[in-house]
């Protein structure tokens, strides 16, 4: 079970983690939550229902990692089947973002918080680690958080689909990106085994 998720009765998943792995996962999740930002609290006296319908931002984030987490809904005007020009696509994306980004941020925030809480609830096995057991709901939150962590780190590393894995495996130990690359690859392995446990 070490280093990989395995299915457990009831539809959940379990993985053995040592203290260092727990610390790394928690630290990365906290950094992700800081990047996403806190939830907006309704102003005093404001109707909470009205706050749910508050429009979000209309422009994409300036930070490349946030832009990857919250991409434009409408892409390349030169793409197949696109009959819109660049200005139209920008307008459509802006309008779509206004009504969806807040909800997407909330969901990503919930995933990150769930990851941190499940790690904080772990009790040590006495060998410097613990066995993390996730419910089916926890698994969904973990999948979302692991995906967001990989997207964020991959953006910081400027990973593209073409160089996925190959060049990253060959970085010398002296390269300052090496620890981030190791975290990126490890998170990918965790995500892959978690997906496998959830497949029928």
């Amino acid at each position: 079970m070490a280093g990989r998720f395995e299915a457990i009765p009831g539809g959940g998943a379990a993985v053995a983690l040592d203290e260092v792995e727990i610390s790394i996962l928690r630290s990365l999740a906290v950094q992700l939550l800081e990047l996403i930002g806190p939830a907006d609290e309704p102003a005093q006296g404001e109707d909470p229902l009205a706050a749910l319908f508050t429009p979000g931002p209309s422009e994409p984030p300036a930070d490349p990692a946030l832009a990857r987490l919250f991409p434009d809904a409408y892409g390349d005007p030169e793409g197949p089947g696109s009959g819109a020009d660049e200005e139209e696509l920008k307008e459509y994306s802006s309008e779509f973002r206004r009504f969806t980004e807040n909800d997407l941020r909330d969901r990503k925030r919930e995933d990150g918080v769930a990851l941190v809480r499940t790690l904080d609830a772990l009790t040590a096995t006495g060998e410097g680690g613990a066995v993390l057991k996730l419910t089916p709901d926890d698994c969904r939150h973990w999948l979302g958080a692991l995906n967001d962590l990989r997207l964020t780190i991959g953006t910081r590393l400027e990973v593209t689909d073409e160089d996925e894995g190959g060049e990253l495996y060959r970085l010398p130990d002296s390269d300052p990106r090496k620890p981030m690359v190791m975290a990126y690859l490890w998170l990918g392995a965790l995500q892959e085994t978690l997906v496998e446990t959830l497949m029928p």
Side-chain angles (χ1 to χ4, degrees):
M1 184 188 300
R4 57 179 291 117
F5 278 98
E6 293 181 9
I8 57 175
V15 63
L17 298 169
D18 64 31
E19 286 181 355
V20 173
E21 291 169 331
I22 293 167
S23 175
I24 290 170
L25 274 169
R26 192 183 191 288
S27 174
L28 290 173
V30 168
Q31 291 176 61
L32 177 66
L33 289 167
E34 289 171 355
L35 179 66
I36 291 170
D40 291 332
E41 295 293 327
Q44 190 164 359
E46 183 182 358
D47 179 3
L49 185 59
L52 288 174
F53 297 99
T54 302
S58 58
E59 294 296 319
D63 184 311
L66 281 174
R68 186 73 176 95
L69 291 174
F70 305 104
D72 278 333
Y74 300 94
D76 184 2
E78 307 298 321
S82 175
D85 64 26
E86 191 170 341
E87 281 305 310
E88 285 178 315
L89 289 177
K90 187 175 178 182
E91 184 181 331
Y92 299 155
S93 290
S94 174
E95 196 67 11
F96 188 81
R97 183 180 295 280
R98 284 182 59 228
F99 295 106
T100 60
E101 185 170 313
N102 285 346
D103 287 341
L104 188 55
R105 278 184 186 266
D106 287 345
R107 185 172 57 77
K108 290 180 181 297
R109 198 177 292 111
E110 286 171 17
D111 291 343
V113 168
L115 189 150
V116 171
R117 285 185 177 154
T118 53
L119 290 174
D120 287 350
L122 279 176
T123 50
T125 60
E127 300 154 3
V131 175
L132 174 72
K133 293 183 179 178
L134 301 178
T135 67
D137 277 346
D138 291 335
C139 289
R140 285 187 284 280
H141 286 302
W142 267 69
L143 275 177
L146 289 172
N147 187 60
D148 291 342
L149 286 170
R150 290 194 76 238
L151 285 174
T152 302
I153 294 172
T155 302
R156 297 289 190 236
L157 291 170
E158 299 180 347
V159 173
T160 64
D161 291 338
E162 291 76 35
D163 61 15
E164 176 84 25
E167 183 183 328
L168 296 180
Y169 284 113
R170 293 190 293 276
L171 283 180
D173 290 344
S174 59
D175 192 304
R177 298 172 297 166
K178 186 76 173 200
M180 198 182 300
V181 166
M182 297 306 293
Y184 176 78
L185 297 172
W186 174 57
L187 290 169
L190 278 178
Q191 183 181 17
E192 184 178 346
T193 61
L194 183 52
V195 168
E196 288 170 1
T197 67
L198 300 177
M199 293 172 73

